[in-house]
Amino acid sequence: MMQAPVDQSPKCDGPPAPILQTRRLTIRYGQKVAVNQVSLDIPERKITAIIGPSGCGKSTLLRALNRMNDFIEELSMEGEVYYRGINLYAKEVDPVEVRRRIGMVFQKPNPFPKTIYKNIAWGLSINGVKDDIPARVQRALEQAALWDEVKDRLHESAMTLSGGQQQRLCIARALALEPEVLLMDEPCSALDPISTARIEDLLFQLKDSYTIVIVTHNMQQAARVSDYTAFLDSGNLIEFGSTEQVFTRPKEKRTEDYVTGRFG
């Protein structure tokens, strides 16, 4: 039986029950500490933003939540990551299943060099899904607010889509596997303002059904879209709370300096 997590996370003003938790999580690249003793609760069916200056460990922390860091040879990790009380790094846990339940969208759109339809259908098939694939493709595209734009061109190359459409296609590809959590690593940094606004509108729609964790360097975006915000600096979790509290009544001087633009 796995040991229940010990609650050592910074307290947030009345968040819902967490779906993801880190406990004393430390991640190193060789000797360099990228994430230092971070204990954090991610509330279910809310949007949590992770903010902080470049190189502070935001993306490294995010990738630890669905074991994407497993692919980095020089990386080492101490501490625990829990999903619904299950230690995701326990030997008996299948990392492929972890990534199915906890999907990820990356900074730059990365569609497969296939048709729009096959981008989602192929992703389903390699994950063992055989039934109702056309219906699941349509549902995923509808959830990503892309269906009306591509329903008459499903068999065209995904590479013909605009950058914003490609990013929504990647979101649809992740949603097709019916995850509970969607991790997003700077999903709008390569997009124009109009495409960014569409992605942000999409996030508001998705949070009724999914837990979303978004890494962003854009503090205005974090303030607009997130319910909770975690501020990292030099690998340390400085503050975590409701976004309104973190941005308007920060408890730590370092947080105040960052959100007011004094550094970073």
Side-chain angles (χ1 to χ4, degrees), residues 204-232:
F204 286 117
Q205 298 172 34
L206 292 176
K207 77 172 184 178
D208 289 338
S209 303
Y210 301 92
T211 301
I212 298 171
V213 187
I214 179 170
V215 161
T216 179
H217 69 280
N218 186 327
M219 286 186 291
Q220 290 77 21
Q221 181 175 74
R224 284 193 301 266
V225 306
S226 67
D227 301 292
Y228 296 91
T229 295
F231 168 52
L232 265 65

PDB file of all heavy atoms in Angstrom, residues 204-232:
ATOM      1  N   PHE A 204     -11.326  28.760 -20.561  1.00  0.00           N
ATOM      2  CA  PHE A 204     -12.488  28.997 -19.704  1.00  0.00           C
ATOM      3  C   PHE A 204     -13.555  27.928 -19.922  1.00  0.00           C
ATOM      4  O   PHE A 204     -14.225  27.490 -18.974  1.00  0.00           O
ATOM      5  CB  PHE A 204     -13.080  30.383 -19.969  1.00  0.00           C
ATOM      6  CG  PHE A 204     -12.264  31.509 -19.400  1.00  0.00           C
ATOM      7  CD1 PHE A 204     -11.697  32.455 -20.236  1.00  0.00           C
ATOM      8  CD2 PHE A 204     -12.065  31.629 -18.038  1.00  0.00           C
ATOM      9  CE1 PHE A 204     -10.936  33.502 -19.718  1.00  0.00           C
ATOM     10  CE2 PHE A 204     -11.313  32.669 -17.506  1.00  0.00           C
ATOM     11  CZ  PHE A 204     -10.748  33.606 -18.352  1.00  0.00           C
ATOM     12  N   GLN A 205     -13.724  27.494 -21.175  1.00  0.00           N
ATOM     13  CA  GLN A 205     -14.718  26.463 -21.472  1.00  0.00           C
ATOM     14  C   GLN A 205     -14.288  25.101 -20.925  1.00  0.00           C
ATOM     15  O   GLN A 205     -15.114  24.333 -20.428  1.00  0.00           O
ATOM     16  CB  GLN A 205     -14.935  26.375 -22.982  1.00  0.00           C
ATOM     17  CG  GLN A 205     -15.475  27.640 -23.622  1.00  0.00           C
ATOM     18  CD  GLN A 205     -15.473  27.553 -25.138  1.00  0.00           C
ATOM     19  OE1 GLN A 205     -15.683  26.496 -25.722  1.00  0.00           O
ATOM     20  NE2 GLN A 205     -15.219  28.688 -25.796  1.00  0.00           N
ATOM     21  N   LEU A 206     -12.994  24.821 -21.013  1.00  0.00           N
ATOM     22  CA  LEU A 206     -12.508  23.491 -20.644  1.00  0.00           C
ATOM     23  C   LEU A 206     -12.454  23.259 -19.143  1.00  0.00           C
ATOM     24  O   LEU A 206     -12.524  22.110 -18.688  1.00  0.00           O
ATOM     25  CB  LEU A 206     -11.113  23.272 -21.239  1.00  0.00           C
ATOM     26  CG  LEU A 206     -11.027  23.156 -22.761  1.00  0.00           C
ATOM     27  CD1 LEU A 206      -9.572  23.054 -23.192  1.00  0.00           C
ATOM     28  CD2 LEU A 206     -11.819  21.955 -23.267  1.00  0.00           C
ATOM     29  N   LYS A 207     -12.318  24.324 -18.363  1.00  0.00           N
ATOM     30  CA  LYS A 207     -12.079  24.092 -16.932  1.00  0.00           C
ATOM     31  C   LYS A 207     -13.291  23.525 -16.208  1.00  0.00           C
ATOM     32  O   LYS A 207     -13.157  23.041 -15.088  1.00  0.00           O
ATOM     33  CB  LYS A 207     -11.595  25.370 -16.248  1.00  0.00           C
ATOM     34  CG  LYS A 207     -12.650  26.400 -15.946  1.00  0.00           C
ATOM     35  CD  LYS A 207     -12.033  27.501 -15.089  1.00  0.00           C
ATOM     36  CE  LYS A 207     -13.068  28.517 -14.669  1.00  0.00           C
ATOM     37  NZ  LYS A 207     -12.488  29.552 -13.798  1.00  0.00           N
ATOM     38  N   ASP A 208     -14.475  23.548 -16.841  1.00  0.00           N
ATOM     39  CA  ASP A 208     -15.626  22.889 -16.230  1.00  0.00           C
ATOM     40  C   ASP A 208     -15.464  21.367 -16.227  1.00  0.00           C
ATOM     41  O   ASP A 208     -16.092  20.677 -15.428  1.00  0.00           O
ATOM     42  CB  ASP A 208     -16.910  23.267 -16.975  1.00  0.00           C
ATOM     43  CG  ASP A 208     -17.327  24.701 -16.727  1.00  0.00           C
ATOM     44  OD1 ASP A 208     -16.904  25.273 -15.706  1.00  0.00           O
ATOM     45  OD2 ASP A 208     -18.068  25.256 -17.567  1.00  0.00           O
ATOM     46  N   SER A 209     -14.639  20.869 -17.138  1.00  0.00           N
ATOM     47  CA  SER A 209     -14.479  19.418 -17.280  1.00  0.00           C
ATOM     48  C   SER A 209     -13.082  18.917 -16.969  1.00  0.00           C
ATOM     49  O   SER A 209     -12.896  17.715 -16.754  1.00  0.00           O
ATOM     50  CB  SER A 209     -14.839  19.003 -18.714  1.00  0.00           C
ATOM     51  OG  SER A 209     -16.151  19.389 -19.052  1.00  0.00           O
ATOM     52  N   TYR A 210     -12.089  19.819 -16.963  1.00  0.00           N
ATOM     53  CA  TYR A 210     -10.695  19.407 -16.818  1.00  0.00           C
ATOM     54  C   TYR A 210      -9.975  20.263 -15.785  1.00  0.00           C
ATOM     55  O   TYR A 210     -10.331  21.419 -15.560  1.00  0.00           O
ATOM     56  CB  TYR A 210      -9.943  19.540 -18.154  1.00  0.00           C
ATOM     57  CG  TYR A 210     -10.538  18.728 -19.270  1.00  0.00           C
ATOM     58  CD1 TYR A 210     -11.496  19.283 -20.123  1.00  0.00           C
ATOM     59  CD2 TYR A 210     -10.169  17.398 -19.473  1.00  0.00           C
ATOM     60  CE1 TYR A 210     -12.063  18.533 -21.146  1.00  0.00           C
ATOM     61  CE2 TYR A 210     -10.729  16.645 -20.499  1.00  0.00           C
ATOM     62  CZ  TYR A 210     -11.680  17.222 -21.336  1.00  0.00           C
ATOM     63  OH  TYR A 210     -12.228  16.481 -22.326  1.00  0.00           O
ATOM     64  N   THR A 211      -8.963  19.672 -15.190  1.00  0.00           N
ATOM     65  CA  THR A 211      -8.004  20.425 -14.385  1.00  0.00           C
ATOM     66  C   THR A 211      -6.910  20.896 -15.331  1.00  0.00           C
ATOM     67  O   THR A 211      -6.358  20.098 -16.084  1.00  0.00           O
ATOM     68  CB  THR A 211      -7.396  19.535 -13.286  1.00  0.00           C
ATOM     69  OG1 THR A 211      -8.453  19.047 -12.448  1.00  0.00           O
ATOM     70  CG2 THR A 211      -6.380  20.309 -12.459  1.00  0.00           C
ATOM     71  N   ILE A 212      -6.596  22.184 -15.300  1.00  0.00           N
ATOM     72  CA  ILE A 212      -5.607  22.749 -16.217  1.00  0.00           C
ATOM     73  C   ILE A 212      -4.484  23.388 -15.417  1.00  0.00           C
ATOM     74  O   ILE A 212      -4.733  24.143 -14.470  1.00  0.00           O
ATOM     75  CB  ILE A 212      -6.252  23.786 -17.154  1.00  0.00           C
ATOM     76  CG1 ILE A 212      -7.338  23.115 -18.019  1.00  0.00           C
ATOM     77  CG2 ILE A 212      -5.200  24.449 -18.042  1.00  0.00           C
ATOM     78  CD1 ILE A 212      -8.175  24.095 -18.816  1.00  0.00           C
ATOM     79  N   VAL A 213      -3.255  23.048 -15.780  1.00  0.00           N
ATOM     80  CA  VAL A 213      -2.074  23.691 -15.193  1.00  0.00           C
ATOM     81  C   VAL A 213      -1.314  24.337 -16.338  1.00  0.00           C
ATOM     82  O   VAL A 213      -0.925  23.656 -17.290  1.00  0.00           O
ATOM     83  CB  VAL A 213      -1.165  22.691 -14.450  1.00  0.00           C
ATOM     84  CG1 VAL A 213      -0.046  23.431 -13.725  1.00  0.00           C
ATOM     85  CG2 VAL A 213      -1.976  21.844 -13.473  1.00  0.00           C
ATOM     86  N   ILE A 214      -1.121  25.648 -16.255  1.00  0.00           N
ATOM     87  CA  ILE A 214      -0.496  26.380 -17.348  1.00  0.00           C
ATOM     88  C   ILE A 214       0.744  27.116 -16.854  1.00  0.00           C
ATOM     89  O   ILE A 214       0.689  27.827 -15.845  1.00  0.00           O
ATOM     90  CB  ILE A 214      -1.496  27.364 -18.005  1.00  0.00           C
ATOM     91  CG1 ILE A 214      -0.839  28.159 -19.140  1.00  0.00           C
ATOM     92  CG2 ILE A 214      -2.134  28.292 -16.987  1.00  0.00           C
ATOM     93  CD1 ILE A 214      -1.820  28.966 -19.969  1.00  0.00           C
ATOM     94  N   VAL A 215       1.856  26.879 -17.528  1.00  0.00           N
ATOM     95  CA  VAL A 215       3.070  27.659 -17.300  1.00  0.00           C
ATOM     96  C   VAL A 215       3.020  28.847 -18.254  1.00  0.00           C
ATOM     97  O   VAL A 215       2.771  28.665 -19.454  1.00  0.00           O
ATOM     98  CB  VAL A 215       4.332  26.816 -17.561  1.00  0.00           C
ATOM     99  CG1 VAL A 215       5.550  27.709 -17.784  1.00  0.00           C
ATOM    100  CG2 VAL A 215       4.587  25.874 -16.403  1.00  0.00           C
ATOM    101  N   THR A 216       3.232  30.031 -17.738  1.00  0.00           N
ATOM    102  CA  THR A 216       3.225  31.204 -18.592  1.00  0.00           C
ATOM    103  C   THR A 216       4.219  32.237 -18.082  1.00  0.00           C
ATOM    104  O   THR A 216       4.385  32.409 -16.875  1.00  0.00           O
ATOM    105  CB  THR A 216       1.813  31.821 -18.708  1.00  0.00           C
ATOM    106  OG1 THR A 216       1.871  32.984 -19.531  1.00  0.00           O
ATOM    107  CG2 THR A 216       1.245  32.198 -17.339  1.00  0.00           C
ATOM    108  N   HIS A 217       4.885  32.902 -19.026  1.00  0.00           N
ATOM    109  CA  HIS A 217       5.755  34.029 -18.678  1.00  0.00           C
ATOM    110  C   HIS A 217       4.968  35.324 -18.697  1.00  0.00           C
ATOM    111  O   HIS A 217       5.477  36.371 -18.311  1.00  0.00           O
ATOM    112  CB  HIS A 217       6.918  34.128 -19.677  1.00  0.00           C
ATOM    113  CG  HIS A 217       6.472  34.538 -21.047  1.00  0.00           C
ATOM    114  ND1 HIS A 217       5.924  33.646 -21.934  1.00  0.00           N
ATOM    115  CD2 HIS A 217       6.462  35.748 -21.665  1.00  0.00           C
ATOM    116  CE1 HIS A 217       5.611  34.287 -23.056  1.00  0.00           C
ATOM    117  NE2 HIS A 217       5.913  35.549 -22.918  1.00  0.00           N
ATOM    118  N   ASN A 218       3.713  35.245 -19.158  1.00  0.00           N
ATOM    119  CA  ASN A 218       2.867  36.422 -19.329  1.00  0.00           C
ATOM    120  C   ASN A 218       1.989  36.590 -18.091  1.00  0.00           C
ATOM    121  O   ASN A 218       0.995  35.881 -17.914  1.00  0.00           O
ATOM    122  CB  ASN A 218       2.013  36.237 -20.588  1.00  0.00           C
ATOM    123  CG  ASN A 218       1.195  37.470 -20.928  1.00  0.00           C
ATOM    124  OD1 ASN A 218       0.753  38.192 -20.048  1.00  0.00           O
ATOM    125  ND2 ASN A 218       0.989  37.694 -22.220  1.00  0.00           N
ATOM    126  N   MET A 219       2.363  37.528 -17.234  1.00  0.00           N
ATOM    127  CA  MET A 219       1.606  37.696 -15.987  1.00  0.00           C
ATOM    128  C   MET A 219       0.186  38.169 -16.238  1.00  0.00           C
ATOM    129  O   MET A 219      -0.736  37.814 -15.486  1.00  0.00           O
ATOM    130  CB  MET A 219       2.340  38.656 -15.057  1.00  0.00           C
ATOM    131  CG  MET A 219       3.567  38.038 -14.414  1.00  0.00           C
ATOM    132  SD  MET A 219       4.305  39.124 -13.188  1.00  0.00           S
ATOM    133  CE  MET A 219       4.956  40.428 -14.245  1.00  0.00           C
ATOM    134  N   GLN A 220      -0.022  38.959 -17.278  1.00  0.00           N
ATOM    135  CA  GLN A 220      -1.378  39.398 -17.604  1.00  0.00           C
ATOM    136  C   GLN A 220      -2.248  38.200 -17.985  1.00  0.00           C
ATOM    137  O   GLN A 220      -3.420  38.126 -17.608  1.00  0.00           O
ATOM    138  CB  GLN A 220      -1.351  40.427 -18.747  1.00  0.00           C
ATOM    139  CG  GLN A 220      -0.769  41.773 -18.366  1.00  0.00           C
ATOM    140  CD  GLN A 220       0.751  41.761 -18.287  1.00  0.00           C
ATOM    141  OE1 GLN A 220       1.402  40.883 -18.875  1.00  0.00           O
ATOM    142  NE2 GLN A 220       1.313  42.706 -17.562  1.00  0.00           N
ATOM    143  N   GLN A 221      -1.654  37.265 -18.713  1.00  0.00           N
ATOM    144  CA  GLN A 221      -2.400  36.058 -19.065  1.00  0.00           C
ATOM    145  C   GLN A 221      -2.742  35.250 -17.821  1.00  0.00           C
ATOM    146  O   GLN A 221      -3.878  34.781 -17.666  1.00  0.00           O
ATOM    147  CB  GLN A 221      -1.592  35.201 -20.035  1.00  0.00           C
ATOM    148  CG  GLN A 221      -2.326  33.944 -20.469  1.00  0.00           C
ATOM    149  CD  GLN A 221      -1.550  33.173 -21.511  1.00  0.00           C
ATOM    150  OE1 GLN A 221      -0.543  32.532 -21.190  1.00  0.00           O
ATOM    151  NE2 GLN A 221      -1.997  33.244 -22.748  1.00  0.00           N
ATOM    152  N   ALA A 222      -1.781  35.086 -16.925  1.00  0.00           N
ATOM    153  CA  ALA A 222      -2.041  34.360 -15.684  1.00  0.00           C
ATOM    154  C   ALA A 222      -3.174  35.012 -14.908  1.00  0.00           C
ATOM    155  O   ALA A 222      -4.061  34.332 -14.384  1.00  0.00           O
ATOM    156  CB  ALA A 222      -0.778  34.303 -14.832  1.00  0.00           C
ATOM    157  N   ALA A 223      -3.150  36.327 -14.833  1.00  0.00           N
ATOM    158  CA  ALA A 223      -4.192  37.050 -14.099  1.00  0.00           C
ATOM    159  C   ALA A 223      -5.553  36.883 -14.766  1.00  0.00           C
ATOM    160  O   ALA A 223      -6.583  36.815 -14.089  1.00  0.00           O
ATOM    161  CB  ALA A 223      -3.823  38.529 -13.992  1.00  0.00           C
ATOM    162  N   ARG A 224      -5.568  36.815 -16.100  1.00  0.00           N
ATOM    163  CA  ARG A 224      -6.833  36.705 -16.831  1.00  0.00           C
ATOM    164  C   ARG A 224      -7.463  35.327 -16.707  1.00  0.00           C
ATOM    165  O   ARG A 224      -8.681  35.215 -16.540  1.00  0.00           O
ATOM    166  CB  ARG A 224      -6.625  37.019 -18.325  1.00  0.00           C
ATOM    167  CG  ARG A 224      -6.458  38.467 -18.671  1.00  0.00           C
ATOM    168  CD  ARG A 224      -6.580  38.686 -20.176  1.00  0.00           C
ATOM    169  NE  ARG A 224      -5.593  37.945 -20.954  1.00  0.00           N
ATOM    170  CZ  ARG A 224      -4.424  38.432 -21.347  1.00  0.00           C
ATOM    171  NH1 ARG A 224      -4.092  39.669 -21.013  1.00  0.00           N
ATOM    172  NH2 ARG A 224      -3.598  37.696 -22.077  1.00  0.00           N
ATOM    173  N   VAL A 225      -6.653  34.271 -16.840  1.00  0.00           N
ATOM    174  CA  VAL A 225      -7.247  32.948 -17.046  1.00  0.00           C
ATOM    175  C   VAL A 225      -7.252  32.046 -15.827  1.00  0.00           C
ATOM    176  O   VAL A 225      -8.045  31.105 -15.762  1.00  0.00           O
ATOM    177  CB  VAL A 225      -6.562  32.195 -18.213  1.00  0.00           C
ATOM    178  CG1 VAL A 225      -6.576  33.038 -19.477  1.00  0.00           C
ATOM    179  CG2 VAL A 225      -5.144  31.767 -17.849  1.00  0.00           C
ATOM    180  N   SER A 226      -6.378  32.293 -14.853  1.00  0.00           N
ATOM    181  CA  SER A 226      -6.202  31.284 -13.798  1.00  0.00           C
ATOM    182  C   SER A 226      -7.027  31.574 -12.553  1.00  0.00           C
ATOM    183  O   SER A 226      -7.354  32.726 -12.253  1.00  0.00           O
ATOM    184  CB  SER A 226      -4.725  31.159 -13.421  1.00  0.00           C
ATOM    185  OG  SER A 226      -4.259  32.340 -12.796  1.00  0.00           O
ATOM    186  N   ASP A 227      -7.334  30.504 -11.834  1.00  0.00           N
ATOM    187  CA  ASP A 227      -8.005  30.611 -10.538  1.00  0.00           C
ATOM    188  C   ASP A 227      -6.988  30.664  -9.405  1.00  0.00           C
ATOM    189  O   ASP A 227      -7.214  31.331  -8.389  1.00  0.00           O
ATOM    190  CB  ASP A 227      -8.923  29.402 -10.322  1.00  0.00           C
ATOM    191  CG  ASP A 227      -9.974  29.276 -11.409  1.00  0.00           C
ATOM    192  OD1 ASP A 227     -10.858  30.131 -11.467  1.00  0.00           O
ATOM    193  OD2 ASP A 227      -9.881  28.321 -12.204  1.00  0.00           O
ATOM    194  N   TYR A 228      -5.875  29.944  -9.589  1.00  0.00           N
ATOM    195  CA  TYR A 228      -4.818  29.886  -8.580  1.00  0.00           C
ATOM    196  C   TYR A 228      -3.480  30.109  -9.267  1.00  0.00           C
ATOM    197  O   TYR A 228      -3.302  29.785 -10.442  1.00  0.00           O
ATOM    198  CB  TYR A 228      -4.826  28.532  -7.850  1.00  0.00           C
ATOM    199  CG  TYR A 228      -6.091  28.333  -7.064  1.00  0.00           C
ATOM    200  CD1 TYR A 228      -7.195  27.716  -7.630  1.00  0.00           C
ATOM    201  CD2 TYR A 228      -6.198  28.819  -5.756  1.00  0.00           C
ATOM    202  CE1 TYR A 228      -8.377  27.578  -6.920  1.00  0.00           C
ATOM    203  CE2 TYR A 228      -7.371  28.683  -5.049  1.00  0.00           C
ATOM    204  CZ  TYR A 228      -8.458  28.062  -5.627  1.00  0.00           C
ATOM    205  OH  TYR A 228      -9.627  27.939  -4.927  1.00  0.00           O
ATOM    206  N   THR A 229      -2.537  30.666  -8.522  1.00  0.00           N
ATOM    207  CA  THR A 229      -1.226  30.974  -9.074  1.00  0.00           C
ATOM    208  C   THR A 229      -0.131  30.533  -8.116  1.00  0.00           C
ATOM    209  O   THR A 229      -0.219  30.790  -6.906  1.00  0.00           O
ATOM    210  CB  THR A 229      -1.074  32.484  -9.353  1.00  0.00           C
ATOM    211  OG1 THR A 229      -2.005  32.866 -10.376  1.00  0.00           O
ATOM    212  CG2 THR A 229       0.330  32.829  -9.822  1.00  0.00           C
ATOM    213  N   ALA A 230       0.879  29.864  -8.689  1.00  0.00           N
ATOM    214  CA  ALA A 230       2.090  29.496  -7.950  1.00  0.00           C
ATOM    215  C   ALA A 230       3.243  30.323  -8.511  1.00  0.00           C
ATOM    216  O   ALA A 230       3.447  30.345  -9.729  1.00  0.00           O
ATOM    217  CB  ALA A 230       2.381  28.006  -8.098  1.00  0.00           C
ATOM    218  N   PHE A 231       3.976  30.994  -7.641  1.00  0.00           N
ATOM    219  CA  PHE A 231       5.122  31.804  -8.058  1.00  0.00           C
ATOM    220  C   PHE A 231       6.402  31.090  -7.663  1.00  0.00           C
ATOM    221  O   PHE A 231       6.640  30.814  -6.483  1.00  0.00           O
ATOM    222  CB  PHE A 231       5.056  33.190  -7.420  1.00  0.00           C
ATOM    223  CG  PHE A 231       6.321  33.996  -7.568  1.00  0.00           C
ATOM    224  CD1 PHE A 231       6.911  34.185  -8.810  1.00  0.00           C
ATOM    225  CD2 PHE A 231       6.932  34.569  -6.453  1.00  0.00           C
ATOM    226  CE1 PHE A 231       8.089  34.915  -8.942  1.00  0.00           C
ATOM    227  CE2 PHE A 231       8.100  35.301  -6.571  1.00  0.00           C
ATOM    228  CZ  PHE A 231       8.683  35.470  -7.817  1.00  0.00           C
ATOM    229  N   LEU A 232       7.241  30.792  -8.665  1.00  0.00           N
ATOM    230  CA  LEU A 232       8.534  30.152  -8.442  1.00  0.00           C
ATOM    231  C   LEU A 232       9.653  31.151  -8.696  1.00  0.00           C
ATOM    232  O   LEU A 232       9.552  32.003  -9.582  1.00  0.00           O
ATOM    233  CB  LEU A 232       8.730  28.965  -9.391  1.00  0.00           C
ATOM    234  CG  LEU A 232       8.359  27.559  -8.883  1.00  0.00           C
ATOM    235  CD1 LEU A 232       6.861  27.483  -8.627  1.00  0.00           C
ATOM    236  CD2 LEU A 232       8.794  26.498  -9.876  1.00  0.00           C
TER     237      LEU A 232
END
